[in-house]
């Protein structure tokens, strides 16, 4: 297996662009373009800044993960998927709990729309169980399975419906890899410096090295970069960890 270069490794680093508005977001784009593989635009920033933020990221030459976690009737989600493709996002996600038809219709609509536009089809990911929910929360909303069981069940459903992968917490990576093989994409948030205890709301954390070695394809990192004294240096450190983790996990570059 060849050694993984730093540019291959940086492509696996998704920066959570959790900014309050366009100005702050643009400062991060200017600083980090070329140093991270993708910018993740979530509900806060997209609601505040709209599609313009996606255009700004694409103009900088970077890739976009639109993290809006679509969950609605299949027809509505399919139309939202088309709107995402028309913005030329590289990755977007839906809630697996929306059901097989909703996921499949989103995948189909995205592929068909990309074909019409003559652009590459985006990666469609499914969100399984939000990491803010524990077994008691699931019971309260009427699910009988544990979070671990439901994560695997929903990932299987997403796979069957044609999704390209899932967003998964670090502790689910091994089980999902085992269950769904190497070709299913796993994107993992909750990454923290392995040498320091988490000082924020992320409870089930893992270092970048361990997440990649366990089988993640991409990691999502926000605060460890945003709150670093030197964000570029933090990116470089994380990228090196990714490269070493890919090597250790013997996953394809
Ligand atoms: O700042 P931090 O590194 O915790 O950012 C992680 C990002 O990943 C945030 O944008 C958060 O909303 C997102 N995320 C997460 N856990 C999930 C899904 C998404 O932390 N299960």
């Amino acid at each position: 297996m060849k050694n993984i270069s730093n540019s291959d490794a940086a492509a696996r680093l998704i920066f959570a662009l959790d900014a309050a508005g366009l100005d702050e977001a643009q400062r991060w784009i200017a600083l980090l373009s070329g140093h991270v593989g993708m910018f993740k635009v979530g509900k806060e920033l997209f609601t505040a800044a709209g599609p313009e933020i996606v255009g700004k990221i694409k103009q900088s030459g970077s890739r976009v993960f639109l993290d809006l976690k679509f969950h609605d009737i299949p027809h509505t989600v399919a139309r939202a998927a088309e709107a995402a493709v028309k913005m030329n996002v590289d990755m977007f996600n839906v809630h697996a709990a929306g059901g097989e038809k909703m996921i499949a219709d989103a995948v189909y609509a995205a592929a068909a729309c990309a074909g019409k536009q003559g652009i590459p089809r985006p990666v469609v990911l499914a969100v399984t169980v939000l990491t803010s929910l524990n077994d008691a929360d699931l019971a309260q909303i009427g699910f009988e399975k544990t979070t671990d069981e439901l994560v695997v069940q929903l990932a299987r459903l997403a796979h069957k419906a044609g999704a390209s992968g899932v967003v998964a917490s670090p502790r689910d990576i091994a089980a999902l890899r085992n269950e769904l093989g190497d070709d299913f994409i796993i994107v993992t948030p909750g990454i923290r410096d392995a040498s320091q205890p988490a000082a924020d709301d992320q409870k089930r954390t893992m270092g970048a090295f361990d997440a990649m070695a366990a089988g993640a394809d991409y990691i999502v990192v926000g605060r460890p970069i945003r709150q670093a004294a030197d964000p570029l240096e933090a990116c470089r450190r994380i990228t090196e960890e990714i490269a070493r983790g890919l090597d250790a996990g013997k996953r394809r570059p």
Side-chain angles (χ1 to χ4, degrees):
M1 168 113 188
K2 75 180 168 96
N3 276 353
I4 283 102
S5 76
N6 271 359
S7 63
D8 289 335
R12 311 299 188 115
L13 174 57
I14 302 178
F15 176 64
L17 187 57
D18 293 329
L22 203 56
D23 290 347
E24 186 192 344
Q26 283 189 265
R27 285 196 291 276
W28 283 113
I29 297 164
L31 181 68
L32 296 180
S33 282
H35 299 275
V36 299
M38 236 183 267
F39 288 89
K40 182 175 84 65
V41 176
K43 285 191 167 107
E44 178 191 8
L45 180 58
F46 194 76
T47 304
E52 193 180 351
I53 186 60
V54 174
K56 298 280 183 203
I57 298 168
K58 298 297 295 195
Q59 279 160 25
S60 79
S62 294
R63 291 155 63 84
V64 178
F65 170 15
L66 188 66
D67 177 23
L68 297 182
K69 302 183 181 70
F70 297 138
H71 190 173
D72 211 311
I73 59 170
H75 180 265
T76 300
V77 169
R79 297 295 82 76
E82 287 170 358
V85 170
K86 286 177 185 159
M87 282 190 283
N88 201 6
V89 306
D90 300 276
M91 187 182 265
F92 71 90
N93 54 7
V94 303
H95 265 289
E100 184 177 351
K101 179 160 169 48
M102 189 206 79
I103 304 166
D105 285 7
V107 170
Y108 179 84
C113 186
K116 263 194 223 141
Q117 307 272 320
I119 56 176
R121 60 175 71 175
V123 168
V124 183
L125 300 175
V127 175
T128 57
V129 181
L130 293 173
T131 46
S132 52
L133 299 176
N134 61 23
D135 293 348
D137 296 317
L138 289 188
Q140 193 181 40
I141 55 178
F143 289 106
E144 284 169 6
K145 290 193 163 18
T146 63
T147 51
D148 292 353
E149 290 165 347
L150 197 55
V151 164
V152 171
Q153 178 171 333
L154 288 171
R156 260 198 239 116
L157 178 74
H159 185 259
K160 180 167 175 246
S164 304
V166 284
V167 181
S169 92
R171 73 166 196 180
D172 297 324
I173 298 171
L176 291 172
R177 228 0 118 217
N178 209 19
E179 186 75 27
L180 295 163
D182 268 354
D183 287 333
F184 204 52
I185 295 173
I186 299 179
V187 176
T188 302
I191 301 297
R192 290 295 176 269
D193 189 332
S195 64
Q196 286 172 5
D200 49 46
D201 61 353
Q202 293 283 18
K203 297 196 174 63
R204 299 193 303 251
T205 66
M206 203 181 254
F209 171 86
D210 289 323
M212 297 310 294
D217 292 287
Y218 296 89
I219 55 171
V220 177
V221 184
R223 284 164 289 182
I225 294 174
R226 276 202 318 280
Q227 295 175 353
D230 182 346
L232 276 182
E233 174 54 29
C235 270
R236 270 191 288 274
R237 225 183 35 243
I238 293 166
T239 302
E240 271 165 30
E241 272 193 61
I242 293 173
R244 286 193 296 107
L246 282 166
D247 261 342
K250 301 226 178 332
R251 305 216 359 100
R252 61 195 186 283

